[in-house]
Amino acid sequence: MIIPDELLESLEGVPGFERNAFTEQHRHPEAVTSVRLHPEKRSVHGNRLDINAHEAFRRPEAIPWCPTGYYLSERPSFTFDPLFHAGCYYVQEASSMFLEQAVKTCFPDHIQQPVRVLDLCAAPGGKATHLSALFPNGLVVANEVIGSRAGILVENSIRWGSGNLVVTAGDASAFRNLEGHFDLILVDAPCSGSGMLRKDPDVIGEWSLQHVAHCSKRQQRILADVWPALKEGGMLVYATCSYSKEENETIADWICSELKARTIRIPVSPDSGIVVSESETHGCYGYRFYPYRLKGEGFYMTCFKKTTPAGESFLPLVKQAVVSRADLQVLADGILQPDAWTYSSIRDEYIASPVRHSSFITSLKSVIQVKKTGIRIGKVIKNLLIPDHELAVSSVIGDGFNTIELDMAQAIGYLQKKDIRMDTSVKGWCLVTYKGFRLGWLKAMPNRVNNYYPPRFRILKEVPSSL
């Protein structure tokens, strides 16, 4: 890989940059694969995934700044790992998991807090799913302005299966109508992408000083648009996968100057390899990740507290459809802690959303396009539940369903949406499981078994001979 001299020269003097180490690291890049476990996803036996016992992972190593994050010594075929499709873990770049340290610094009792979080540029969903796990009592609005990427965000949210995720699709300016409504806003801003050169060499062809300058202006516009939505005393986390000072420390200074925010220092272990920088004008703390200093790709993060008053905006109250008592009972039988959820319907399909956030979620639809809310439970026909795939892979599903355990070959066949041939004494709707973790639904009939795995999720690749 040939690094442009213009890029190398632009980074001279940037905290943590070492030209020889940088070029050598990109001359012989070593792929680093990392995953983050789902802390709430349990098997039908009540167990979480034991990463050390999972044969797809070789010698997992803990990521220092994320208790649920692990490096893998080699990259497995995630496509052909049923537990990936079950949402037991998310494949995520290790550096970006540092978000957990920002959350723990700003919200020490984060697990208990029913906060509202906005992940403004959320696709494909790594940080949004991470936030949903860090704030199990909170609500995470994961937004993506690009339609195709919003679709990927929805798919990953379904696989993750937490009921506190809402996916929206709109420009940052749409959130001006939600003044003072969020406790935390994450802006993982579109950038020049130089931090991802090792993983995506095509970035080199797009990189230029002019592109960096363009990204910096766009980042300022995005921040200015979304800033009103943050409440007074709320936290802003800004991040990029760029090494350029113009997209990082310069933006941090702009946030202090233009938005009157106060920088927040995140404790960092001296032996972590993370470089702590301070911006030139206001001394804003930033956290830089270099692949020759730690196991992870190029990344920058900085954190702020809003010190100015937020305006007020009032969302319209939207009347929800009344759910019959009989249907409520059927739905309640299918999920854990049914009183913690409220139910709405879209085209005769019921969706469960957290009670404490239900009015906000309903009103949100009047402000921005909502692509996904809560967990889609299914339809109720003649007092019987016709379950949806989202329920099967969710962390809110009840334990009253029949299950059919599959071996590896059967699980892959199911995920390819092939016909399932088996003798079973159980009839009707059944959960398909692999190692106890739920993959989806099938329906056992007297003379056949119907595979109800969603066509859009099915594996299209041919199974490798090694499996």
Side-chain angles (χ1 to χ4, degrees), residues 250-321:
T250 300
I251 295 294
D253 273 335
W254 181 89
I255 292 171
C256 270
S257 297
E258 299 299 319
L259 305 180
K260 311 303 180 186
R262 177 168 63 83
T263 185
I264 295 175
R265 185 164 196 167
I266 302 170
V268 172
S269 172
D271 59 356
S272 66
I274 301 169
V275 175
V276 181
S277 70
E278 294 186 35
S279 62
E280 185 175 340
T281 303
H282 294 287
C284 301
Y285 297 110
Y287 303 88
R288 284 181 164 269
F289 291 69
Y290 293 92
Y292 50 85
R293 293 180 176 273
L294 47 74
K295 291 177 68 174
E297 302 305 316
F299 186 66
Y300 172 86
M301 180 177 286
T302 184
C303 191
F304 296 90
K305 182 175 184 178
K306 186 170 184 176
T307 60
T308 54
E312 291 188 69
S313 64
F314 299 94
L315 291 174
L317 293 176
V318 179
K319 188 176 181 180
Q320 298 190 39

Side-chain angles (χ1 to χ4, degrees), residues 357-378:
H357 300 292
S358 60
S359 60
F360 176 77
I361 292 172
T362 303
S363 299
L364 188 65
K365 298 173 184 177
S366 66
V367 176
I368 196 167
Q369 182 185 11
V370 175
K371 307 283 284 187
K372 179 189 183 304
T373 63
I375 301 296
R376 192 177 292 264
I377 304 298

